[in-house]
């Protein structure tokens, strides 16, 4: 239960050793680098230009994304597949691989393919547009008209065709239906050129829109019909498809370089990190200076690392100054370690505050178990997280999360058996409280746990106050610690002793809560702070959610079983339906139950527990180290 | 069928309907925002999914309360209990906390989660903090459910 001791480190070395020193420190992965701020030395910093590195990295990522799209392995298998190993020593040989050529080639093929794709899309659009006009029985040239007659294609709503037929009787023009679909009709109109304006108006009245084939007319040979154009289109389209397939094959052929590109990516990623780190150094003509933080436990390792690269280099350690905010690493023993996730989500402790991970762990464990209270779901989660831990080769963060899931699964197996059931079926002989039949007892249990956590939080705040030598505050907290349980005891058993203890606690609060020297102000100010009891009350009542959430999972599990039983009675289909309802329903309930249980248990830690004694806002310790995305680095 | 039974059924129906409407609105709001975010980056699906699902719990609480009433009335087993008119009213009122607290809180939770979705769009690593914000709103739906369960538990048929 602790925040690791962190010390400041300064390293001075000869300029010529810069790259080697940084590589060595990166491999060690123990320093959190900061910008050098030494006054009085004329140190310069050179912020690195990372734009080239960033561009290459994003090109590599894009190429690998293209290759990944053809990956045949399924999602789960891909998740469980280990990353290929890469030796740190092979850096030179990896970088000698001409990745630029592969990337250029791939990008060239890709852009050629994209061009074809655009062309194909245009052809498809044209085919769609011309499709209905295939029935036009004249060659396209007819649309150019004759010196006296104009021809025009138009599309109008089916309902207007009759009106058009009627108009033919009155006016000197001719029309023919070319094609029709559900709502619209394509017509070909012919009329004397001098009637153009009048026909324009008629068409407008009939809500007709002109159909222009000018583009096609421009490309058409004499005697071409719409069908001929469409046929030529199809030939062209087939050629494009074949082209695209050939290009794709070429791209697929490049996928043999996938592993090489992955190696280059990860090596360059680390070179980029190194360049970034070099920008933080302070330099003179001959000397470089490096500033950072290191765990006190890693001091020896750091010093020997530096000495192995540069014998003459000087390493200085010192304790953090009062005004400095060292970065934070949490150090918890194995079993509490996964709960650091919860602390990290709220924010790491500020300097001088204790690590809340161990205090919160047992409560979080219990609360999730009670909120979900399902032995069966706990069993599933336990098995899945065990399998993932064994076969999934998770990264460090994922491993921690899987361990947390494992604990929460175990918590559910135990508490689900005692207070809930297995897949909606309670095991009556093992039940301590049946929350459906006796919700009041379960509510009592929830509030009792809440009271314990609130009281414990107050105790920790007293410890904090004593550590910070704020004695008046610690007496007030002590007063609350006495007052709260005594008050509860007094209302439950009405013992006069409890009453006396309550008054003693209350008087500690009244006398010490207000620092004023004026006795009246001090007394009334203290009296007012007794009002804080409403806060303790509402905090404790907030834990009633444990009952509600626990009930919710149990009842929905029952509903699922009920539905499955009902479905089972349907002849024949029941044999298929019932298992689907059972499995699907319980999986849904598992998801919703754990989401609610996790989020609400977390809220109880953050809002009800942490507010008593904890301040977040510490910055995390980010070691300068080897990063990897696609490969696993080995010695 | 007695008036008492009708009132009790009305209570169950209202619990499911109102909380369900609230959740539908809430999930709808967050879902629209999530789809918008995913149109830029489909990879954020995992990060925003829980935020979209969170306002859906009120509907489940309403359904659950409705189901408790159905169980209590024996509508599934076939042994239908005929409550008196007063008992019917009691069940109807007992359903109100989850119905209304669920209805309103789901809508507001939907709004909080919508903002959360935008936050995840900009800060992909912070997908849990907006969940906690959503849970702060949900408290009142949980309390509504709790009150309804306790009240239903208190209505006894002879």
């Amino acid at each position: 239960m602790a925040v690791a001791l962190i010390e400041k480190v300064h390293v001075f070395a000869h300029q010529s050793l810069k790259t080697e020193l940084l590589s060595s420190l990166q491999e060690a992965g123990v320093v959190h680098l900061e910008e050098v701020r030494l006054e009085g030395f004329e140190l310069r910093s050179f912020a690195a230009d990372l734009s080239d590195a960033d561009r290459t990295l994003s090109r590599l990522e894009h190429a690998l994304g293209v290759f990944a799209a053809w990956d045949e392995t399924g999602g789960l298998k891909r998740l469980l597949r280990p990353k290929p190993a890469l030796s740190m020593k092979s850096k030179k040989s990896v970088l000698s691989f001409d990745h630029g050529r592969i990337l250029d080639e791939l990008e060239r093929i890709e852009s050629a393919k994209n061009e074809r794709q655009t062309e194909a899309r245009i052809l498809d659009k044209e085919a769609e547009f011309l499709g209905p006009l295939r029935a036009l029985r004249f060659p396209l040239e007819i649309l150019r008209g004759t010196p006296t007659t104009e021809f025009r294609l138009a599309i109008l709503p089916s309902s207007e065709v009759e009106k058009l037929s009627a108009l033919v009787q009155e006016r000197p023009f001719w029309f023919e239906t070319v094609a029709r679909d559900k709502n619209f009709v394509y017509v070909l109109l012919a009329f004397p050129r001098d009637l153009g304006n009048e026909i324009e108006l008629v068409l407008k009245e009939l809500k007709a829109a002109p159909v222009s084939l000018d583009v096609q007319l421009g490309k058409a040979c004499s005697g071409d019909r719409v069908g001929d154009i469409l046929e030529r289109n199809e030939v062209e389209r087939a050629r494009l498809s074949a082209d695209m397939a050939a290009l794709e094959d070429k791209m697929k052929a490049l996928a043999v370089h996938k592993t090489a590109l992955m190696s280059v990516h990860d090596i360059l990623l680390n070179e980029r990190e190194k360049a970034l780190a070099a920008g933080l150094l302070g330099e003179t003509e001959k000397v470089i200076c490096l500033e950072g933080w290191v765990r006190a436990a890693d001091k020896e390792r750091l010093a020997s690392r530096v000495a192995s690269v540069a014998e003459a280099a000087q390493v200085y350690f010192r304790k953090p100054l009062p005004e400095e905010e060292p970065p934070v690493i949490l150090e918890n023993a194995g079993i509490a370690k996964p709960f650091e996730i919860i602390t990290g989500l709220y924010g790491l402790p500020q300097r001088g505050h204790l690590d809340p991970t161990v205090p919160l762990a047992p409560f979080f464990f219990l609360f999730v178990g009670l909120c979900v209270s399902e032995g069966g779901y706990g069993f599933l989660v336990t098995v899945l997280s065990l399998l993932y831990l064994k076969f999934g080769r998770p990264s460090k963060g994922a491993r921690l999360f899987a361990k947390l899931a494992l604990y929460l699964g175990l918590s559910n197996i135990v508490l689900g058996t005692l207070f809930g059931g297995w897949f909606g079926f309670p095991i009556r002989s093992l039940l301590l409280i049946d929350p459906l039949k006796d919700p009041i007892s379960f509510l009592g249990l929830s509030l009792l746990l809440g009271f314990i956590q609130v009281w414990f939080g107050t105790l920790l705040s007293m410890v904090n106050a004593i550590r910070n030598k704020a004695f008046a505050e610690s007496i007030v907290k002590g007063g609350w610690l006495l007052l709260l349980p005594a008050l509860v005891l007094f209302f439950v058993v009405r013992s006069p002793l409890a009453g006396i203890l309550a008054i003693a606690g209350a008087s500690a609060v009244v006398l010490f809560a207000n620092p004023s020297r004026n006795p009246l102000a001090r007394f009334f100010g203290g009296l007012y702070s007794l009002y804080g009891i409403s806060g303790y009350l509402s905090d404790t009542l907030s834990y009633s959610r444990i009952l509600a959430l626990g009930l919710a999972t149990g009842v929905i599990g029952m509903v699922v079983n009920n539905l499955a039983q009902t479905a089972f009675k349907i002849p024949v289909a029941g044999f298929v339906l019932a298992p689907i309802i059972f499995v699907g329903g319980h999986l849904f309930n598992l998801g919703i139950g754990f989401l609610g249980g996790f989020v609400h248990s977390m809220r109880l830690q953050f809002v009800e527990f942490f507010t008593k004694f904890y301040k977040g806002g510490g910055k995390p310790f980010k070691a300068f180290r080897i990063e990897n995305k696609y490969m696993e680095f080995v010695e | 069928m007695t008036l008492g039974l009708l009132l009790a059924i009305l209570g169950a129906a209202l619990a499911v309907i109102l909380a369900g409407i609230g959740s539908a609105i809430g999930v709808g709001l967050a879902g629209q925002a999530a789809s918008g975010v995913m149109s830029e980056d489909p990879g954020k699906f995992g990060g925003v999914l829980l935020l979209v699902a969170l306002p859906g719990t009120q509907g489940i609480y309403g359904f659950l309360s409705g189901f408790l009433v159905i169980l209590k009335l024996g509508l599934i087993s076939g042994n239908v209990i005929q409550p008196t008119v007063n008992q019917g009213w009691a069940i109807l009122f007992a359903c109100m906390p989850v119905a209304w607290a669920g209805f309103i809180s789901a809508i507001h939770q939907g709004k909080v989660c919508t903002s959360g979705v935008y936050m995840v769009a900009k800060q992909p690593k912070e997908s849990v903090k907006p969940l906690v914000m959503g849970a702060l709103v949900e408290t009142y739906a949980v309390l509504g459910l709790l009150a309804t369960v306790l009240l239903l538990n208190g209505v006894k048929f002879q």
Side-chain angles (χ1 to χ4, degrees):
Chain A
M1 161 183 170
V3 179
L5 281 178
I6 304 282
E7 291 197 9
K8 184 121 223 186
V9 58
H10 285 104
V11 180
F12 295 88
H14 192 262
Q15 179 68 254
S16 63
L17 295 169
K18 180 161 125 185
T19 322
E20 219 173 320
L21 184 67
L22 281 174
S23 295
S24 177
L25 287 180
Q26 190 177 27
E27 274 171 46
V30 292
V31 198
H32 171 116
L33 286 178
E34 275 190 350
E35 204 173 332
V36 174
R37 257 179 257 127
L38 282 182
E39 281 162 31
F41 300 85
E42 298 205 342
L43 293 175
R44 290 163 298 163
S45 289
F46 300 97
D49 177 18
L50 297 172
S51 53
D52 271 353
D54 285 339
R55 195 170 325 121
T56 313
L57 282 175
S58 78
R59 281 176 74 195
L60 281 164
E61 263 167 42
H62 172 77
L64 289 167
V66 170
F67 294 149
W70 298 319
D71 204 332
E72 301 287 321
T73 24
L76 186 65
K77 254 195 184 155
R78 208 181 308 169
L79 191 72
L80 296 182
R81 185 175 51 193
K83 291 174 176 169
L86 176 65
S87 162
M88 253 349 248
K89 296 195 180 69
S90 59
K91 185 176 123 185
K92 270 219 175 98
S93 67
V94 167
L95 286 184
S96 67
F97 174 72
D98 189 1
H99 60 272
R101 191 178 58 82
I102 306 292
L103 288 178
D104 289 343
E105 177 83 8
L106 184 73
E107 281 160 15
R108 195 180 54 73
I109 300 172
E110 213 185 351
S111 78
K113 192 182 151 206
N114 286 344
E115 258 169 47
R116 306 284 193 288
Q117 216 153 21
T118 319
E119 277 175 50
R121 219 171 285 146
I122 293 171
L123 285 181
D124 289 346
K125 276 253 168 76
E126 190 178 35
E128 198 185 323
F129 167 64
L130 288 179
L133 296 173
R134 195 189 273 274
L136 185 67
R137 59 193 171 111
F138 304 103
L140 277 182
E141 293 137 302
I142 194 179
L143 292 172
R144 291 207 179 100
T146 68
T148 51
T149 317
E150 199 172 329
F151 287 85
R152 189 173 293 178
L153 274 171
I155 177 169
L156 69 163
S158 314
S159 51
E160 307 288 324
V161 178
E162 273 176 33
K163 286 188 206 161
L164 192 65
S165 309
L167 280 172
V168 173
Q169 313 296 331
E170 303 165 14
R171 312 269 168 99
F173 77 93
W174 166 92
F175 87 99
E176 172 179 281
T177 307
V178 178
R180 59 174 72 229
D181 62 13
K182 223 164 64 194
N183 302 320
F184 292 99
V185 176
Y186 290 84
V187 294
L188 176 67
L189 297 142
F191 48 88
R193 280 202 186 274
D194 47 1
L195 274 180
N197 288 340
E198 203 177 324
I199 296 292
E200 203 81 46
L201 281 177
V202 170
L203 287 178
K204 212 176 223 173
E205 222 163 89
L206 295 176
K207 293 175 206 140
V211 177
S212 162
L213 293 186
D214 289 350
V215 181
Q216 286 75 16
L217 205 55
K219 290 189 293 188
C221 314
S222 86
D224 264 356
R225 285 158 210 273
V226 173
D228 299 324
I229 295 177
L230 281 172
E231 260 165 48
R232 278 205 297 275
N233 257 5
E234 261 162 51
V235 174
E236 176 70 7
R237 183 69 177 77
R239 187 185 65 81
L240 286 174
S241 292
D243 264 13
M244 282 194 284
L247 288 171
E248 182 150 331
D249 283 344
K250 272 193 194 168
M251 281 162 82
K252 277 187 184 159
L254 287 177
V256 292
H257 302 297
K258 188 171 150 191
T259 316
L261 291 183
M262 277 159 46
S263 311
V264 172
H265 177 278
D266 278 13
I267 296 270
L268 286 182
L269 183 69
N270 285 308
E271 292 301 306
R272 180 190 179 279
E273 290 294 312
K274 215 190 304 177
L276 204 63
L280 297 174
L281 301 181
E283 306 185 23
T284 68
E285 215 169 295
K286 298 251 167 66
V287 177
I288 54 165
C289 168
L290 173 154
E291 180 172 335
W293 299 97
V294 61
R295 236 164 29 147
D298 287 332
K299 270 158 66 176
E300 291 301 315
R301 247 179 93 200
L302 175 65
S304 70
R305 268 280 176 173
V306 172
S308 70
V309 179
E311 271 174 66
Q314 294 295 312
V315 185
Y316 300 99
F317 297 103
R318 68 162 165 77
K319 298 239 156 26
L321 301 175
E323 69 271 17
E324 281 177 332
E325 278 276 348
V328 181
I329 314 183
L330 300 181
E331 272 180 334
N332 288 289
I335 196 158
K337 188 98 188 147
F339 293 93
E340 284 178 3
I341 296 176
I342 312 293
T343 309
L345 283 171
Y346 184 83
L348 294 170
Q350 275 180 20
R351 188 172 181 191
H353 283 261
L354 47 79
D355 174 12
T357 305
V358 170
L360 79 79
F363 290 106
F364 192 77
F365 179 82
L366 277 177
F367 292 166
V368 175
L370 288 171
C371 283
V372 184
S373 65
E374 243 298 334
Y377 301 169
F379 180 72
L380 278 182
V381 169
T382 307
V383 170
L384 285 178
S385 43
L386 274 178
L387 285 177
Y388 181 60
L389 282 169
K390 181 118 178 67
F391 300 109
R393 302 187 188 228
S395 64
K396 215 171 153 198
R399 167 173 294 271
L400 218 54
F401 195 82
K403 273 194 184 160
L404 184 64
L406 173 66
Y407 288 162
L408 300 182
L410 288 174
S411 151
N412 266 297
I413 293 182
V414 177
L415 294 168
T417 312
L418 296 180
F419 300 101
W422 282 63
F423 298 108
F425 298 108
I427 305 173
R428 301 246 171 249
S429 54
L430 292 177
L431 274 186
L432 280 186
I433 300 173
D434 183 349
L436 257 183
K437 293 228 169 74
D438 187 10
I440 303 302
S441 303
F442 200 86
L443 181 65
L445 176 69
S446 311
L447 294 181
L448 176 67
L449 283 172
F451 182 80
I452 292 173
Q453 192 176 26
V454 168
W455 189 85
F456 184 50
T458 314
L459 178 69
L460 289 175
S461 81
M462 184 172 91
V463 173
N464 260 350
I466 292 174
R467 273 179 22 154
N468 296 335
K469 303 202 166 53
F471 293 112
E473 195 193 330
S474 67
I475 291 174
V476 172
K477 298 293 176 194
W480 282 114
L481 287 176
L482 190 62
L483 169 61
L484 295 173
L487 213 54
V488 174
L489 206 64
F490 181 73
F491 281 118
V492 176
V493 295
R494 302 264 163 208
S495 124
L497 177 68
I500 292 166
L501 287 176
I503 291 169
S507 39
V509 176
V510 171
L511 294 177
F512 290 92
N514 196 308
S516 168
R517 280 174 182 246
N518 176 345
L520 270 181
R522 192 177 173 109
F523 178 73
F524 285 106
L527 212 55
Y528 175 73
S529 66
L530 263 190
Y531 182 67
I533 200 159
S534 66
Y536 288 100
L537 185 68
S538 68
D539 282 349
T540 308
L541 287 179
S542 177
Y543 288 79
S544 60
R545 75 186 67 230
I546 296 175
L547 162 64
L549 292 166
L551 267 179
T553 333
V555 174
I556 294 171
M558 265 170 47
V559 175
V560 170
N561 293 346
N562 236 314
L563 285 178
Q565 271 168 3
T566 315
F568 195 68
K569 287 181 196 140
I570 304 169
V572 189
F575 286 102
V576 186
L577 266 181
I580 293 176
I581 293 177
F582 185 81
V583 173
H586 279 298
L587 280 181
F588 168 78
N589 194 20
L590 188 154
I592 284 285
F594 267 91
L595 171 65
F598 192 83
V599 170
H600 280 281
S601 303
M602 206 153 63
R603 173 229 144 96
L604 288 176
Q605 312 304 320
F606 293 172
V607 181
E608 271 76 25
F609 189 46
F610 280 7
T611 45
K612 301 277 175 299
F613 68 97
Y614 180 65
K615 271 212 178 67
K619 64 177 173 194
F621 185 96
K622 276 205 182 114
F624 170 52
R625 57 162 194 206
I626 306 268
E627 306 283 346
N628 65 328
K629 181 164 177 186
Y630 299 109
M631 310 295 283
E632 195 72 57
F633 284 104
V634 292
E635 283 298 311
Chain B
M1 195 172 270
T2 62
L3 180 59
L5 184 61
L6 282 181
L7 287 170
I9 290 177
L10 177 63
L14 280 176
V16 181
I17 292 170
L18 287 174
I21 292 176
S23 275
I25 296 175
V27 174
L29 285 171
Q32 285 173 14
S35 301
V37 166
M38 282 188 291
S39 68
E40 285 272 314
D41 178 8
K44 293 221 168 77
F45 179 72
V48 297
L49 178 69
L50 294 183
L51 280 168
V52 178
L54 200 56
T57 42
Q58 279 87 340
I60 295 170
Y61 298 156
F63 170 70
L64 187 159
S65 308
F67 189 79
L68 283 178
V69 175
I70 293 171
L71 268 188
K72 208 171 170 65
L73 296 173
L75 288 170
I76 288 185
S77 61
N79 272 334
V80 182
I81 292 167
Q82 303 288 343
T84 64
V85 175
N86 281 357
Q87 286 165 344
W89 279 115
I91 289 187
L92 173 59
F93 285 135
C95 287
M96 290 300 104
V98 77
W100 289 104
F103 177 46
I104 306 285
S105 75
I107 296 172
H108 283 280
Q109 197 178 20
K111 291 178 182 168
V112 172
C113 287
T114 303
S115 309
V117 167
Y118 295 139
M119 176 177 160
V120 174
K122 292 191 175 168
Q123 312 271 344
K125 284 187 182 153
E126 301 288 0
S127 60
V128 180
K129 282 176 184 151
L131 271 181
V132 178
M133 292 296 136
L136 294 184
V137 185
E138 186 166 296
T139 301
Y140 306 98
V142 174
L143 294 180
L145 169 66
L146 191 63
T148 295
V149 169
L150 293 177
L151 286 170
L152 283 177
N153 195 56
V155 181
K156 297 270 190 284
F157 305 129
Q158 269 73 44

